[in-house]
Amino acid sequence: MQQRVWVLDASVVIDFKIRINVQFQWAFLRCLELMVNAGLAYITEDVVREVGDGVYPDAPGAWVYGVRNGVQVGFRTSAEVLEFVLSRAADVVDPDDSEDDADPSVIAQAIELIRDGKHPVVVTKDRRDRQDHISMRTACDRFDIPTCSLDEFVAEIDCDAGELKPEA
């Protein structure tokens, strides 16, 4: 069986600060950094921008800027694959946040990893369709890309996040 690789959506990276107790956050983020450097976890440039932009970034925001240079492949998704994603799942873009929405690039990253022979799983909090746009889970389903929650991700990897706080 192929080893899974993880593509982190902005929603789950933002959720680190809410769901992971403070005393475990830096150790958890350091472990994820090692995974990024080893090519086991991926973030896109758009996720870095969505999570890390701001005058005073929080721990996850600072982390994504720190690891962006360690991403092994596909930090910037190709325009061709991004156009393919938008041709089949443009409705994943939140119309209230269309300029900063990283979702299409996360899906494009997963597609590029599949083309490279890897088995990506998109880690996302976005699992519920709304009236004005579909969830990441629905969009990923259109491309046969598996998704998981933060809880499932933490249970699968070897990074201690302590006991996760319940989802809000």
Side-chain angles (χ1 to χ4, degrees):
M1 182 175 156
Q2 288 180 318
Q3 183 177 23
R4 287 184 188 166
V5 295
W6 309 94
V7 183
L8 305 177
D9 178 30
S11 68
V12 80
V13 175
I14 291 166
D15 224 21
F16 290 164
K17 69 182 175 207
I18 299 165
R19 302 278 319 287
I20 299 173
N21 289 313
V22 171
Q23 69 264 30
F24 295 103
Q25 283 182 17
W26 284 116
F28 180 76
L29 293 172
R30 176 66 180 133
C31 181
L32 284 183
E33 180 178 348
L34 296 173
M35 290 178 66
V36 167
N37 292 338
L40 299 174
Y42 295 83
I43 54 172
T44 68
E45 183 176 38
D46 292 336
V47 168
V48 170
R49 195 172 20 262
E50 187 174 333
V51 175
D53 276 0
V55 178
Y56 303 107
D58 55 14
W63 175 78
V64 295
Y65 269 107
V67 299
R68 72 185 185 281
N69 293 329
V71 175
Q72 298 294 309
V73 296
F75 178 73
R76 291 174 184 87
T77 52
S78 75
E80 169 204 350
V81 177
L82 195 54
E83 286 174 23
F84 173 67
V85 168
L86 291 172
S87 74
R88 292 183 57 196
D91 49 346
V92 73
V93 177
D94 181 349
D96 294 332
D97 194 23
S98 60
E99 286 185 30
D100 293 326
D101 199 324
D103 294 348
S105 72
V106 171
I107 298 166
Q109 174 78 90
I111 291 169
E112 289 178 353
L113 289 164
I114 291 167
R115 289 181 177 177
D116 287 344
K118 295 180 175 28
H119 182 69
V121 177
V122 171
V123 185
T124 184
K125 180 181 179 177
D126 187 15
R127 304 174 74 76
R128 184 175 47 93
D129 294 339
R130 292 163 185 80
Q131 190 171 18
D132 59 351
H133 67 284
I134 61 171
S135 67
M136 277 294 284
R137 179 173 57 188
T138 298
C140 286
D141 284 349
R142 290 182 182 175
F143 299 95
D144 294 321
I145 299 168
T147 61
C148 73
S149 67
L150 177 59
D151 291 13
E152 294 164 326
F153 174 61
V154 169
E156 287 286 325
I157 63 173
D158 191 21
C159 294
D160 184 14
E163 187 173 321
L164 295 176
K165 298 175 192 173
E167 282 192 69

